Amino acid sequence: MKLSNPGTVPVYTIAGPSTARPLPDWLARRRKRSSKYDPENQNNFELLQEFEFEEASNCVRVSEDGNWIMSSGTYKPQFHVHSTQELSLSFARHTKSENTTFLLLSSDYSKSLHLQSDRSLEFHTPMGCHYETRLPRFGRDLAYIRQNTEVLVPAVGLSSDGSGMGEVFRLDLERGQYLRPWQINVGEDEAISGLQGSINVGAVNVAAVAESTHGLCAFGTSISTVEFFDPRTKGRVAVLGGHDGEVTALDFSKDGLSLALGTAHGQISTFDLRNPRPLLKKDQGMGLPIQSLIHMTTPTEERKLLSADKRIIKIWDEHSGDLWTSIEPMVDINYVAHCPDSGMILTANEGKQMHSFFIPNLGLAPRWCHFVDNLVHEMENETRTETYDNFKFLTVPELKALSLGHLVGKTNLLRPYMHGYFVAAKLYDQARLIANPYIWEEERAKRIREKVEKERASRIRGVKKVKVNQKLADKMSKRQEIKQKADIEDAVLGDSRFGKLFEDEDFKVDETSWEFRSLNPSTQVPGRDGAPPAAVEDSGGGSSDGGGNAGDAGDEVFMQVSSSRVQGGRAKDTAIGSRAQKYTRTTKTRPGEVVGEKNVTFVPESKSKDKAPPPAPADKRSDARRSASTNTFRRL
């Protein structure tokens, strides 16, 4: 259930398709299974079981007692009967040809008359097709005179007697025979003489009968005229002409004094039968033929007129002509039916599902779906934000920037609210695309950047801050990043068993202790008082105050650098730049010069004891002397 037209006169869509093209059966079943646990679908309900056809529906009518709904559709040609007491499909019956329109001859569904597209009339009962007869020419509409039990069938073409008049076939159901047809002026067919009609021949398009009052019959023709016949005298009593286009829809009011007619150009006129001039003229606005006209009355005794073409349904005030509300489905409309004395409207339309609309201001829900009133009351108590889900709020400058300022006050796509307007989301997207054709590319690039930034942030894990042993926590975090195990930090740092290691001061690691420095010799730690570590002297005899510090250090071991370049003694360390200046010819080597890698060893030595000079090595053969051996691998 959805609020499709918010405003002063809200319209609720009880059932109906949300898209123009229905899904295939196999895909629809799959989506139904996949969306079984969707919260949005769990809140939906089905008003009538299988209130749909495989492809499209042509006509729908409600019985007088309100217990049955009959509808016809295709493909295959068939009609359905729904029971409103059970809210389910009672039965479906297939026919030989497509059903153009039908009538319920009884107060329930037990007797129905169906006009088929192959010029045949079929009488159906609950057991099946009771009788079938064939018409001389194609019929356009059906009407029924209850007082005389006569069926009127307006037809296409001219009569066969050469009078050049159209015909309305009359079938007496009590005697079971055709009566003399009524002659209707539909214009002469000058294109082909001697035949009943050509392609553009005139026709009687529609019929209407004032059943509950005077019983006059009105017939709309293709030459923009309306002819009235009295069933008692079996003759024409009046002609009403001068309309714009063919007359395609007619309807009498309940009192029988008002007649509404619609034309093929979308014009609507209301007449008082006592006055040939129209009381009201309205334009549907779409330029399409009017298909349905219905006189309705609100609970406050306000008279309304419903008009519908295949695109939109509009309800007008019959006296002032003001637009009361409108309904614009997503699919084309073929027929509109009104449940008597209620606010429920049913439509036969293109598309698989048939529409059901509910207008609370028009009346209460029918007794067979009285729970709809409670649902509407609950929806009205909800916040108004859901009302404008399909609208975008724009201020007046923003509206003018999108070149939509000319629509203010002319369409229901703009709804005034405070200092701006609510604009239909579909119209807003189209206007924004026209104003900036590259808006979709910019939006796509923006979403890509957001997605990249989100993934990038997920790869960078922040270091967890702890109370004590922050370096240990950082080290563990770094180790887990190398191993790419994101659950290590949660397992150790987040485990309650190791919580005191990073919270209690008794477990603090003393990095200045001898044990820590022995286990971590390469770690530079500050002094005991927090000062940075002292510089290490690399000279052989120590610094100028080395003697004084030696006593303080005791037997403290320090690292000494020795070179293998000079055998024996200590080599004076020189910078690389000074070496480059000393040896100008770098392409040639001198005897005893080492080129390339250099071996460096670290020898521990105590400061408190004097170290004796190392013994001189034995004399070795000069590297420049030529070897007498012929084995080249011996020198390796």
Side-chain angles (χ1 to χ4, degrees), residues 223-492:
I223 59 173
S224 307
T225 60
V226 179
E227 296 192 9
F228 297 88
F229 279 74
D230 190 346
R232 297 169 295 182
T233 62
K234 307 298 189 292
R236 183 186 299 107
V237 295
V239 178
L240 184 65
H243 311 296
D244 184 14
E246 300 183 15
V247 179
T248 57
L250 289 173
D251 186 65
F252 281 101
S253 62
K254 290 184 177 180
D255 56 11
L257 298 179
S258 177
L259 174 69
L261 64 89
T263 66
H265 296 165
Q267 303 294 326
I268 306 164
S269 303
T270 59
F271 290 87
D272 191 323
L273 295 184
R274 298 162 294 187
N275 188 356
R277 296 182 179 179
L279 301 178
L280 180 68
K281 281 188 176 182
K282 300 300 295 184
D283 188 358
Q284 187 79 354
M286 297 293 180
L288 300 173
I290 302 298
Q291 297 178 344
S292 301
L293 287 173
I294 304 175
H295 283 86
M296 297 183 294
T297 305
T298 64
T300 58
E301 300 299 329
E302 298 179 5
R303 301 181 62 173
K304 307 297 179 183
L305 177 64
L306 182 146
S307 61
D309 55 16
K310 73 174 186 178
R311 297 286 296 277
I312 192 172
I313 302 173
K314 291 186 177 183
I315 301 179
W316 314 84
D317 188 281
E318 190 174 354
H319 295 292
S320 63
D322 297 334
L323 180 63
W324 195 53
T325 188
S326 62
I327 307 171
E328 189 171 1
M330 298 293 295
V331 293
D332 292 343
I333 304 170
N334 293 330
Y335 192 84
V336 178
H338 174 231
C339 296
D341 302 327
S342 69
M344 184 71 68
I345 296 175
L346 308 177
T347 65
N349 46 259
E350 298 293 328
K352 187 173 182 179
Q353 295 180 347
M354 302 173 65
H355 274 107
S356 300
F357 300 102
F358 179 61
I359 306 176
N361 294 15
L362 189 60
L364 297 176
R367 64 178 185 272
W368 49 270
C369 60
H370 57 86
F371 55 87
V372 174
D373 291 326
N374 299 331
L375 296 177
V376 170
H377 182 68
E378 293 177 1
M379 295 183 65
E380 289 178 350
N381 294 336
E382 294 178 358
T383 57
R384 295 285 293 178
T385 55
E386 296 184 0
T387 302
Y388 297 101
D389 284 345
N390 297 328
F391 287 79
K392 172 73 173 178
F393 180 79
L394 296 177
T395 60
V396 176
E398 293 175 344
L399 201 65
K400 293 181 178 179
L402 295 176
S403 301
L404 298 177
H406 64 284
L407 298 178
V408 176
K410 298 182 180 179
T411 177
N412 59 355
L413 297 177
L414 301 183
R415 304 185 182 279
Y417 182 77
M418 296 180 65
H419 61 283
Y421 295 87
F422 277 104
V423 183
K426 186 176 180 180
L427 176 63
Y428 171 73
D429 294 338
Q430 293 177 353
R432 188 175 60 165
L433 181 60
I434 294 174
N436 185 7
Y438 304 100
I439 188 67
W440 298 117
E441 297 181 2
E442 297 175 359
E443 184 68 19
R444 181 175 179 272
K446 180 182 177 181
R447 293 186 180 182
I448 292 175
R449 288 196 303 267
E450 293 177 355
K451 186 176 182 179
V452 171
E453 293 295 335
K454 184 178 180 180
E455 294 180 353
R456 183 179 300 170
S458 63
R459 294 195 300 267
I460 303 175
R461 299 183 179 91
V463 179
K464 186 174 182 179
K465 299 298 181 181
V466 295
K467 188 175 181 180
V468 295
N469 299 332
Q470 181 63 44
K471 289 187 177 181
L472 178 60
D474 297 345
K475 184 177 180 181
M476 296 175 64
S477 300
K478 186 176 181 180
R479 186 180 302 171
Q480 74 171 4
E481 291 178 1
I482 297 175
K483 295 181 179 181
Q484 296 182 353
K485 294 182 180 180
D487 55 344
I488 295 180
E489 182 179 357
D490 298 334
V492 179

Side-chain angles (χ1 to χ4, degrees), residues 474-583:
D474 297 345
K475 184 177 180 181
M476 296 175 64
S477 300
K478 186 176 181 180
R479 186 180 302 171
Q480 74 171 4
E481 291 178 1
I482 297 175
K483 295 181 179 181
Q484 296 182 353
K485 294 182 180 180
D487 55 344
I488 295 180
E489 182 179 357
D490 298 334
V492 179
L493 299 181
D495 198 336
S496 59
R497 297 175 297 174
F498 304 98
K500 292 185 178 181
L501 179 62
F502 303 101
E503 299 294 335
D504 196 348
E505 294 286 346
D506 296 338
F507 292 93
K508 184 176 181 180
V509 178
D510 187 7
E511 297 182 358
T512 61
S513 63
W514 183 83
E515 291 83 358
F516 180 83
R517 297 176 65 181
S518 300
L519 296 175
N520 303 275
S522 61
T523 304
Q524 295 184 359
V525 297
R528 295 181 184 274
D529 54 353
V536 179
E537 299 292 342
D538 59 351
S539 60
S543 60
S544 60
D545 56 349
N549 295 334
D552 298 338
D555 296 339
E556 185 177 0
V557 179
F558 71 96
M559 311 303 293
Q560 180 180 2
V561 180
S562 63
S563 176
S564 61
R565 174 188 171 189
V566 179
Q567 301 296 334
R570 293 174 180 171
K572 185 177 181 180
D573 194 8
T574 57
I576 297 179
S578 60
R579 293 179 185 177
Q581 294 177 1
K582 183 176 179 180
Y583 305 107

